[in-house]
Amino acid sequence: MGGVGKKWCGFCCSSSASSSSVKLLMFMVAPLIVVSGLFSVLGPLTSNWVVLSNYPWLCGSSTMPTSSPVSSEKESKKRLDFPSQVVVVEVHSMEEATSDDSMLNRSSTPPHAIESIHVQPNGIKEDMRNVSMSGRMSSIVPPMNESHVPNMKARRDYTKLDRLEAGLRRARAAIKEANHGNQTQDNDYAPVGPMYRCANAFYRSYLEMEKQFKIFVYEEGQPPLFHNGPCKSIYSTEGYFIHGIEMNKQFRTRDPDKAHVFFLPFSVTMLVRYVYVRDSHDFSPIKHTVTDYVNLVAGKYPFWNRSLASDHFMLACHDWGPETSRSTPHLHKNSIRVLCNANTSEGFNPTKDVSFPEINLQTGSIQGFIGGPSPSRRPILAFFAGGLHGPIRPVLLEHWENKDEDIRVHRYLPKGISYYDMMRKSKYCICPSGYEVASPRVVEAIYAGCVPVLISDHYVPPFSDVLNWKSFSVEVPVKDVPNLKKILMEISPRQHIRMQRRVVQVRRHFEVHYPPRRFDVFHMILHSVWLRRLNVRFRNDFDVL
């Protein structure tokens, strides 16, 4: 595994890529400007109705400076809004397809209002917010003049999109059945236990994903900004996933008509490194680059406009991922955003966005970081080491820094003491947010077999639609930091042993492998995207006339 990992890191982080970055950037921008210009001249061809709403999950309920090729965000929005065919996009409740018990990212984020938008040929959007809605999503189709329908017989034709949707309907039905039946046996691994919200539904959904899920990766763009990413940093999961999906033969398809989702392979970390002017506090060069890229693929392919990006996804572990997604309105509002910075107070929407773990691959591999002793051989109650970063850590350090032998909190570790050894000696590993909600300490704790103590506000932990974090971690509100020792001491030794064993069991879902293995972090990211695609339904308008 080490040899393969080194080869992959050479691919992602070669020095040649850095030295030729300016040439590659110029090579990329020229076609972007030309194609986006052509697209803006050609303008829209047809109209489209798009229905967007929130929905529950599968089981349970709760809850740089430079001139810009694009003159303004308003013009960019106008350019991107026009579909290439008449399609209804519905984001449904999964109640009709699975069960009333759903896999839910439990979040206090309130549902957004259902919105229906009609994009007319002249580019004017008609807002249909006056349409009354009930809790369960139903088909919404506006009156349509027959002049908009070139051939009414199309209602009886089965398109490639129809066939894709039929396969997804079968997957939904199978998940529903599994949720109420016995779990399928698997010689490799079958999820079971309280670490999962609904083990049967998750497992069946995973098998359906393996059987039919297909992803089209746009090939436009050149490294280092596209098709590349870091592999030895806290943002390493960007490069890991980009390389993993581009090399994958099972899930990647070269035929876009067979794809369920479309991946935009830009790396926010690389954009920050090569496009952003350091200390400028100007995000516009990054946003312009992403807008140009979206214009390029939207002008070359029909799929972005067909769905207004609801079946497209981006992935970013850099803190500026959410801000980058605001480059174009539909990328932020409609697309599936796979983000480490999963902060609901900053617009992260658990019903369409994916929270995935921040993993600090210092060597490009997890080798040497996995494993730790049993609970009885962990003499330290809780451990944290880290500097002032964000609003929470000062509170933690104020109350606990060098003040208790059981709660080992350090701003800087004493010389000769290993950070990872301290994790392996601790029962609980304190994982406070920094300036952003995600922290690599969460996965570091899981790797070491240490029960994570999450101290954050508005954070949606990774894979929460599948994993029951309360069964293997401790969530402590910021206001309760002064009571941290009392909270941990009230957890019985027996309960801690159970939680620690569950940490070891779920660890497979956070491990990085080359090549990827079933149920590892690569496949869990794919499964999270798969779940959200299951809730987006496309239908030809002719079918509902």
Side-chain angles (χ1 to χ4, degrees):
M1 180 175 72
V4 177
K6 290 180 181 179
K7 182 178 181 180
W8 178 79
C9 284
F11 173 87
C12 286
C13 305
S14 64
S15 59
S16 61
S18 293
S19 63
S20 61
S21 62
V22 176
K23 294 181 181 179
L24 290 169
L25 181 59
M26 293 301 295
F27 180 80
M28 174 197 71
V29 170
L32 287 172
I33 298 174
V34 172
V35 176
S36 62
L38 287 173
F39 187 49
S40 61
V41 171
L42 292 175
L45 299 177
T46 62
S47 63
N48 187 48
W49 280 89
V50 181
V51 178
L52 302 172
S53 81
N54 277 6
Y55 44 86
W57 287 109
L58 292 172
C59 227
S61 66
S62 119
T63 54
M64 159 173 3
T66 185
S67 60
S68 168
V70 181
S71 59
S72 70
E73 185 175 85
K74 183 176 180 180
E75 290 182 14
S76 171
K77 182 176 181 180
K78 182 183 297 184
R79 184 178 305 164
L80 298 175
D81 276 352
F82 308 114
S84 58
Q85 65 184 81
V86 181
V87 171
V88 169
V89 183
E90 295 177 326
V91 184
H92 277 260
S93 165
M94 284 298 287
E95 294 174 357
E96 298 174 2
T98 55
S99 76
D100 293 332
D101 297 324
S102 64
M103 289 180 192
L104 176 68
N105 262 329
R106 296 180 185 268
S107 169
S108 59
T109 308
H112 294 253
I114 296 171
E115 181 178 357
S116 177
I117 302 173
H118 182 197
V119 184
Q120 299 176 349
N122 60 4
I124 300 174
K125 295 193 297 182
E126 179 181 337
D127 200 340
M128 299 293 292
R129 290 188 179 92
N130 59 337
V131 181
S132 62
M133 302 290 176
S134 61
R136 177 174 294 188
M137 184 63 195
S138 60
S139 177
I140 303 174
V141 182
M144 179 177 289
N145 189 298
E146 289 188 7
S147 62
H148 291 169
V149 186
N151 182 4
M152 292 298 291
K153 291 183 179 179
R155 71 193 310 173
R156 296 183 177 87
D157 294 339
Y158 288 100
T159 66
K160 294 178 180 178
L161 184 58
D162 292 331
R163 293 185 177 92
L164 281 177
E165 290 301 313
L168 294 178
R169 285 195 297 272
R170 289 191 293 270
R172 297 183 193 107
I175 296 168
K176 177 180 179 180
E177 182 179 355
N179 192 37
H180 297 288
N182 294 326
Q183 182 157 274
T184 305
Q185 296 301 312
D186 194 316
N187 293 328
D188 181 15
Y189 176 76
V192 64
M195 306 84 67
Y196 302 99
R197 294 195 180 280
C198 287
N200 288 1
F202 163 50
Y203 184 52
R204 187 64 199 184
S205 176
Y206 188 93
L207 294 181
E208 292 294 327
M209 176 192 76
E210 287 186 315
K211 182 168 64 176
Q212 61 172 305
F213 194 33
K214 297 298 178 185
I215 299 172
F216 182 78
V217 182
Y218 288 113
E219 297 184 353
E220 289 68 25
Q222 296 292 327
L225 306 184
F226 303 88
H227 314 285
N228 202 351
C231 57
K232 295 181 182 180
S233 74
I234 60 173
Y235 309 128
S236 59
T237 39
E238 282 189 21
Y240 170 70
F241 184 86
I242 291 172
H243 178 74
I245 194 60
E246 293 197 337
M247 297 294 103
N248 191 275
K249 295 181 180 180
Q250 178 181 2
F251 297 103
R252 183 180 182 182
T253 178
R254 303 282 180 169
D255 184 352
D257 288 320
K258 294 181 179 179
H260 298 94
V261 294
F262 300 80
F263 178 48
L264 302 163
F266 59 83
S267 166
V268 175
T269 304
M270 304 305 268
L271 287 168
V272 173
R273 182 182 302 178
Y274 292 105
V275 178
Y276 175 73
V277 175
R278 187 174 181 177
D279 299 325
S280 68
H281 308 289
D282 182 9
F283 291 100
S284 61
I286 295 176
K287 292 184 175 181
H288 293 158
T289 303
V290 173
T291 298
D292 288 342
Y293 189 74
V294 171
N295 281 335
L296 175 63
V297 298
K300 185 175 180 179
Y301 305 92
F303 308 104
W304 175 279
N305 299 300
R306 178 183 70 182
S307 68
L308 300 186
S310 61
D311 57 353
H312 286 58
F313 76 99
M314 60 165 283
L315 178 139
C317 205
H318 196 280
D319 295 347
W320 295 353
E323 185 65 26
T324 301
S325 73
R326 291 182 172 87
S327 302
T328 70
H330 295 319
L331 182 61
H332 176 260
K333 183 177 181 181
N334 300 344
S335 74
I336 301 167
R337 302 180 305 157
V338 183
L339 305 171
C340 284
N341 188 12
N343 189 337
T344 57
S345 71
E346 296 179 359
F348 182 88
N349 181 357
T351 61
K352 76 168 188 69
D353 299 328
V354 173
S355 172
F356 79 116
E358 190 171 280
I359 303 175
N360 190 2
L361 292 180
Q362 298 181 1
T363 65
S365 168
I366 63 172
Q367 192 170 10
F369 296 98
I370 301 293
S374 64
S376 62
R377 297 167 58 196
R378 294 175 179 259
I380 301 172
L381 178 63
F383 165 73
F384 168 80
L388 294 175
H389 191 267
I392 297 177
R393 296 184 191 178
V395 177
L396 178 66
L397 290 167
E398 177 187 354
H399 287 90
W400 296 105
E401 183 180 13
N402 301 322
K403 292 182 179 179
D404 194 295
E405 285 300 310
D406 294 323
I407 307 292
R408 303 285 186 93
V409 173
H410 306 275
R411 188 175 312 193
Y412 303 103
L413 274 177
K415 291 183 179 180
I417 297 179
S418 167
Y419 175 83
Y420 296 102
D421 283 346
M422 288 294 289
M423 278 193 158
R424 294 185 183 99
K425 293 178 181 178
S426 302
K427 293 178 171 63
Y428 299 94
C429 289
I430 305 171
C431 307
S433 293
Y435 284 110
E436 302 297 345
V437 293
S439 170
R441 286 172 176 80
V442 177
V443 174
E444 290 170 346
I446 292 173
Y447 283 179
C450 182
V451 177
V453 178
L454 310 181
I455 307 178
S456 61
D457 288 326
H458 314 292
Y459 180 45
V460 178
F463 316 133
S464 294
D465 39 16
V466 168
L467 299 179
N468 176 19
W469 279 80
K470 290 184 178 181
S471 72
F472 60 89
S473 70
V474 180
E475 298 179 9
V476 177
V478 178
K479 64 181 179 63
D480 289 336
V481 167
N483 302 318
L484 182 58
K485 183 174 182 177
K486 179 177 181 292
I487 292 171
L488 297 180
M489 291 295 290
E490 288 178 349
I491 301 174
S492 69
R494 178 175 295 183
Q495 177 63 9
H496 172 259
I497 291 173
R498 283 196 291 259
M499 296 175 73
Q500 196 271 344
R501 287 175 178 172
R502 293 166 187 167
V503 167
V504 174
Q505 287 178 281
V506 301
R507 188 163 59 200
R508 68 170 59 241
H509 301 314
F510 297 87
E511 292 179 359
V512 175
H513 297 288
Y514 310 97
R517 301 175 185 174
R518 296 182 75 209
F519 293 100
D520 69 356
V521 68
F522 175 81
H523 288 92
M524 291 298 287
I525 294 171
L526 287 183
H527 182 260
S528 295
V529 175
W530 159 255
L531 279 182
R532 284 142 183 86
R533 178 59 179 90
L534 281 175
N535 290 288
V536 179
R537 307 185 190 187
F538 297 83
R539 292 188 294 115
N540 195 301
D541 258 353
F542 309 145
D543 293 336
V544 292
L545 293 177

